[in-house]
Amino acid sequence: MIATIPVTPARAMSLIGRGVFIELLRRKDAYVLLVLVGLHALAVLTVSIVGVQNPATGTFLLNLGLTLTHFASHLLVMLLAVRQIPAEIDGRTLYPLLAKPIERRTFLLGKWSACTACGAGALLLMVVLVWVPAPKLEAYSLGLLAQALALQTVSLGLVAAVSLLLSLLVPRGVALVAVCLTVFLGDKVASLSAAQAADSPFERPLRWLLAYVPDFSKLDLFTRLTDGIAPLSVAAFTGLAAWGALCTAAALALSAHLFERRAL
């Protein structure tokens, strides 16, 4: 009799994460975004060699690069996470995994952790590409940079969780559009919607609904960094990180519940 080696949750998550990483390398999404950031870095390097005399210009170039990095890393995680479960179901590659047996929540956590790790790695690489060649004619806080990177990682984890959740509820294209609107325009859409519904019967229900939509702008400190503002206090930083982690846990818990009840 051939002895079977049990698959532990950690081992299962590692194997699932490896599959996500291999998929990322095979697809062109990451390369396109890295090339985009690389072109900006090359342009900034060229400008720096020519010479930048105005501090405001140097700050503008750095802010533009960091904003591009924020956009590219979050878009990468969206594109990666939103297709994970639907692609596994459509390709019928999910069934052998669940027959190991691997619990569905373990499968989900493996996908989420891998998507988050890929996004965090891409974020760090792109920030280096932007930060190194940028002309630094003004003082920027390295402590605030560390806080910004940490909260960006929390934000990427939240994006991955929300993308996985929506991919279980709606088609991939609709999920991707919904996540994009929430991440990049969520705070503006929420403010505009609340203003439009003011003094109407829909104001209270709308405000209640908007309270459950994560505001990703809270986790973006890049503009604060380039504005030369001091780092967040320990309490403020911890509160933002805890808020992001709580929202991520809630999205993952709901995703696991829906995934467990879903007939495959």
Side-chain angles (χ1 to χ4, degrees), residues 131-176:
W131 184 269
V132 172
K136 302 174 187 65
L137 304 179
E138 295 181 307
Y140 306 109
S141 170
L142 294 180
L144 183 54
L145 176 62
Q147 290 181 340
L149 291 176
L151 290 183
Q152 283 287 294
T153 302
V154 173
S155 181
L156 292 172
L158 180 54
V159 168
V162 172
S163 299
L164 288 170
L165 173 61
L166 291 179
S167 70
L168 291 168
L169 297 172
V170 295
R172 274 177 282 185
V174 178
L176 180 60

XYZ file of all heavy atoms in Angstrom, residues 131-176:
331
model
N 11.749 56.134 -6.917
C 12.422 56.899 -5.872
C 13.881 57.211 -6.213
O 14.354 58.332 -6.001
C 12.335 56.140 -4.557
C 12.915 56.869 -3.391
C 14.195 56.808 -2.916
C 12.237 57.803 -2.550
N 14.356 57.619 -1.830
C 13.168 58.257 -1.579
C 10.937 58.303 -2.506
C 12.826 59.171 -0.591
C 10.606 59.214 -1.523
C 11.535 59.645 -0.595
N 14.592 56.217 -6.749
C 16.037 56.373 -6.958
C 16.364 57.498 -7.942
O 17.193 58.369 -7.643
C 16.664 55.037 -7.405
C 18.118 55.228 -7.823
C 16.576 54.014 -6.275
N 15.763 57.554 -9.141
C 16.162 58.599 -10.087
C 15.517 59.961 -9.843
O 15.929 60.953 -10.448
C 15.710 58.045 -11.438
C 14.514 57.219 -11.116
C 14.793 56.622 -9.758
N 14.524 60.025 -8.966
C 13.802 61.291 -8.782
C 14.695 62.342 -8.133
O 15.403 62.056 -7.161
C 12.561 61.056 -7.918
N 14.688 63.575 -8.656
C 15.465 64.661 -8.027
C 14.834 65.046 -6.699
O 13.653 65.373 -6.630
C 15.346 65.803 -9.047
C 14.103 65.511 -9.814
C 13.968 64.023 -9.861
N 15.594 64.975 -5.640
C 15.075 65.241 -4.291
C 15.634 66.578 -3.806
O 16.641 66.632 -3.088
C 15.444 64.094 -3.359
C 14.916 62.741 -3.844
C 15.419 61.603 -3.000
C 15.013 60.286 -3.618
N 15.662 60.058 -4.934
N 14.973 67.639 -4.220
C 15.402 68.988 -3.855
C 14.706 69.477 -2.594
O 14.982 70.581 -2.129
C 15.121 69.946 -5.018
C 15.772 69.545 -6.358
C 15.414 70.555 -7.434
C 17.277 69.419 -6.216
N 13.792 68.667 -2.077
C 13.116 68.980 -0.823
C 13.278 67.795 0.121
O 13.596 66.684 -0.311
C 11.631 69.285 -1.053
C 11.393 70.547 -1.883
C 9.911 70.851 -2.071
O 9.187 69.948 -2.511
O 9.505 71.980 -1.777
N 13.042 68.013 1.402
C 13.210 66.956 2.404
C 11.943 66.098 2.456
O 10.825 66.626 2.533
C 13.489 67.571 3.768
N 12.135 64.791 2.407
C 11.035 63.835 2.514
C 11.319 62.899 3.681
O 12.449 62.432 3.852
C 10.865 63.037 1.226
C 10.712 63.885 -0.015
C 11.726 63.951 -0.966
C 9.569 64.641 -0.220
C 11.598 64.731 -2.087
C 9.437 65.437 -1.341
C 10.457 65.478 -2.285
O 10.329 66.263 -3.402
N 10.294 62.609 4.436
C 10.444 61.787 5.632
C 10.533 60.307 5.266
O 9.602 59.754 4.665
C 9.264 62.020 6.588
O 9.275 61.088 7.633
N 11.646 59.666 5.633
C 11.786 58.232 5.399
C 10.846 57.433 6.299
O 10.384 56.351 5.925
C 13.233 57.795 5.632
C 14.262 58.357 4.642
C 15.666 57.854 4.989
C 13.903 57.983 3.207
N 10.544 57.991 7.478
C 9.571 57.337 8.351
C 8.192 57.306 7.729
O 7.487 56.278 7.782
N 7.796 58.420 7.117
C 6.504 58.469 6.436
C 6.509 57.570 5.203
O 5.485 56.958 4.870
C 6.172 59.910 6.047
C 4.806 60.141 5.390
C 3.684 59.588 6.249
C 4.584 61.616 5.120
N 7.646 57.452 4.504
C 7.748 56.536 3.370
C 7.511 55.103 3.821
O 6.799 54.345 3.154
C 9.116 56.669 2.708
C 9.402 55.691 1.561
C 8.417 55.907 0.412
C 10.843 55.842 1.074
N 8.093 54.725 4.965
C 7.883 53.370 5.495
C 6.418 53.159 5.858
O 5.841 52.098 5.581
C 8.773 53.144 6.710
N 5.792 54.167 6.460
C 4.367 54.063 6.783
C 3.516 53.931 5.516
O 2.568 53.144 5.463
C 3.921 55.284 7.583
C 4.466 55.348 8.993
C 3.961 56.573 9.739
O 3.505 57.564 9.139
N 4.029 56.531 11.063
N 3.877 54.720 4.501
C 3.130 54.687 3.249
C 3.220 53.303 2.601
O 2.214 52.766 2.121
C 3.653 55.752 2.290
N 4.407 52.715 2.598
C 4.578 51.391 2.003
C 3.807 50.334 2.792
O 3.204 49.422 2.207
C 6.061 51.028 1.943
C 6.905 51.830 0.954
C 8.377 51.444 1.073
C 6.420 51.625 -0.474
N 3.824 50.447 4.112
C 3.094 49.487 4.937
C 1.589 49.576 4.688
O 0.911 48.552 4.518
C 3.402 49.734 6.415
N 1.056 50.795 4.645
C -0.379 50.957 4.417
C -0.764 50.610 2.981
O -1.886 50.141 2.726
C -0.812 52.385 4.758
C -0.786 52.750 6.245
C -1.310 54.167 6.460
C -1.605 51.760 7.074
N 0.152 50.819 2.025
C -0.115 50.395 0.656
C -0.228 48.869 0.592
O -1.058 48.334 -0.146
C 1.003 50.872 -0.266
C 0.936 52.341 -0.632
C -0.171 52.649 -1.620
O -0.157 52.227 -2.763
N -1.145 53.409 -1.166
N 0.592 48.162 1.359
C 0.503 46.706 1.401
C -0.832 46.258 1.999
O -1.464 45.319 1.498
C 1.669 46.131 2.224
O 2.907 46.553 1.649
C 1.631 44.609 2.239
N -1.260 46.942 3.064
C -2.580 46.657 3.633
C -3.672 46.912 2.599
O -4.624 46.134 2.457
C -2.822 47.519 4.896
C -4.254 47.354 5.403
C -1.831 47.140 5.987
N -3.530 47.998 1.856
C -4.497 48.340 0.818
C -4.547 47.278 -0.273
O -5.629 46.907 -0.753
C -4.145 49.704 0.212
O -5.070 50.083 -0.785
N -3.383 46.759 -0.665
C -3.342 45.706 -1.684
C -4.026 44.443 -1.180
O -4.724 43.752 -1.941
C -1.893 45.414 -2.061
C -1.165 46.524 -2.817
C 0.314 46.201 -2.949
C -1.779 46.741 -4.197
N -3.833 44.112 0.097
C -4.524 42.962 0.663
C -6.031 43.146 0.658
O -6.791 42.206 0.381
N -6.476 44.363 0.944
C -7.907 44.659 0.917
C -8.455 44.584 -0.504
O -9.551 44.067 -0.738
C -8.161 46.040 1.521
C -9.612 46.519 1.580
C -10.496 45.508 2.284
C -9.689 47.882 2.272
N -7.690 45.091 -1.480
C -8.103 45.005 -2.884
C -8.242 43.546 -3.311
O -9.218 43.170 -3.983
C -7.085 45.729 -3.790
C -7.334 45.393 -5.249
C -7.184 47.221 -3.592
N -7.286 42.718 -2.940
C -7.347 41.293 -3.299
C -8.581 40.636 -2.687
O -9.276 39.857 -3.351
C -6.075 40.584 -2.838
N -8.881 40.956 -1.419
C -10.035 40.363 -0.745
C -11.348 40.801 -1.392
O -12.245 39.978 -1.628
C -10.017 40.732 0.734
N -11.461 42.096 -1.684
C -12.687 42.609 -2.316
C -12.844 42.036 -3.725
O -13.959 41.695 -4.158
C -12.662 44.142 -2.342
C -13.828 44.694 -3.160
C -12.715 44.705 -0.927
N -11.747 41.902 -4.458
C -11.807 41.352 -5.817
C -12.273 39.896 -5.792
O -13.105 39.489 -6.615
C -10.437 41.452 -6.483
O -10.015 42.793 -6.596
N -11.747 39.120 -4.864
C -12.176 37.720 -4.742
C -13.657 37.640 -4.365
O -14.395 36.794 -4.888
C -11.322 37.007 -3.693
C -9.872 36.712 -4.082
C -9.084 36.228 -2.873
C -9.815 35.670 -5.199
N -14.081 38.527 -3.466
C -15.481 38.537 -3.045
C -16.407 38.842 -4.212
O -17.397 38.125 -4.457
C -15.674 39.551 -1.923
C -17.121 39.818 -1.479
C -17.766 38.548 -0.960
C -17.155 40.915 -0.422
N -16.102 39.899 -4.957
C -16.966 40.281 -6.074
C -16.942 39.254 -7.198
O -17.938 39.084 -7.909
C -16.554 41.653 -6.607
C -16.840 42.841 -5.680
C -16.367 44.140 -6.304
C -18.325 42.925 -5.352
N -15.814 38.541 -7.359
C -15.745 37.520 -8.409
C -16.664 36.348 -8.117
O -16.997 35.573 -9.023
C -14.310 37.025 -8.569
O -13.895 36.247 -7.459
N -17.064 36.201 -6.848
C -18.015 35.149 -6.480
C -19.466 35.598 -6.657
O -20.374 34.771 -6.612
C -17.799 34.731 -5.024
C -16.500 33.975 -4.724
C -16.275 33.880 -3.222
C -16.531 32.591 -5.345
N -19.667 36.893 -6.836
C -21.022 37.441 -6.906
C -21.438 37.833 -8.318
O -22.608 37.673 -8.682
C -21.128 38.662 -5.990
C -20.924 38.422 -4.496
C -20.871 39.749 -3.737
C -22.039 37.546 -3.948
N -20.493 38.371 -9.093
C -20.817 38.886 -10.427
C -19.764 38.410 -11.419
O -18.691 37.936 -11.016
C -20.881 40.433 -10.422
C -22.029 40.922 -9.559
C -19.567 41.025 -9.923
N -20.037 38.523 -12.732
C -19.024 38.149 -13.733
C -17.735 38.946 -13.580
O -17.723 40.042 -13.017
C -19.722 38.456 -15.065
C -21.178 38.383 -14.762
C -21.327 38.878 -13.353
N -16.653 38.392 -14.131
C -15.332 38.986 -13.957
C -15.262 40.439 -14.433
O -14.688 41.296 -13.767
C -14.282 38.151 -14.703
C -13.735 37.003 -13.920
C -12.762 36.186 -14.731
N -13.438 35.302 -15.673
C -12.812 34.422 -16.436
N -11.505 34.331 -16.400
N -13.496 33.632 -17.254
N -15.824 40.721 -15.615
C -15.759 42.082 -16.137
C -16.459 43.077 -15.230
O -15.935 44.173 -14.957
N -17.628 42.705 -14.745
C -18.378 43.582 -13.846
C -17.628 43.758 -12.532
O -17.553 44.867 -11.985
C -19.786 43.006 -13.587
C -20.558 43.882 -12.605
C -20.554 42.877 -14.901
N -17.053 42.671 -12.023
C -16.297 42.741 -10.773
C -15.099 43.664 -10.913
O -14.807 44.466 -10.014
C -15.850 41.339 -10.357
N -14.396 43.571 -12.036
C -13.216 44.410 -12.245
C -13.585 45.882 -12.295
O -12.910 46.730 -11.684
C -12.507 43.996 -13.536
C -11.240 44.780 -13.898
C -10.192 44.634 -12.797
C -10.683 44.304 -15.231
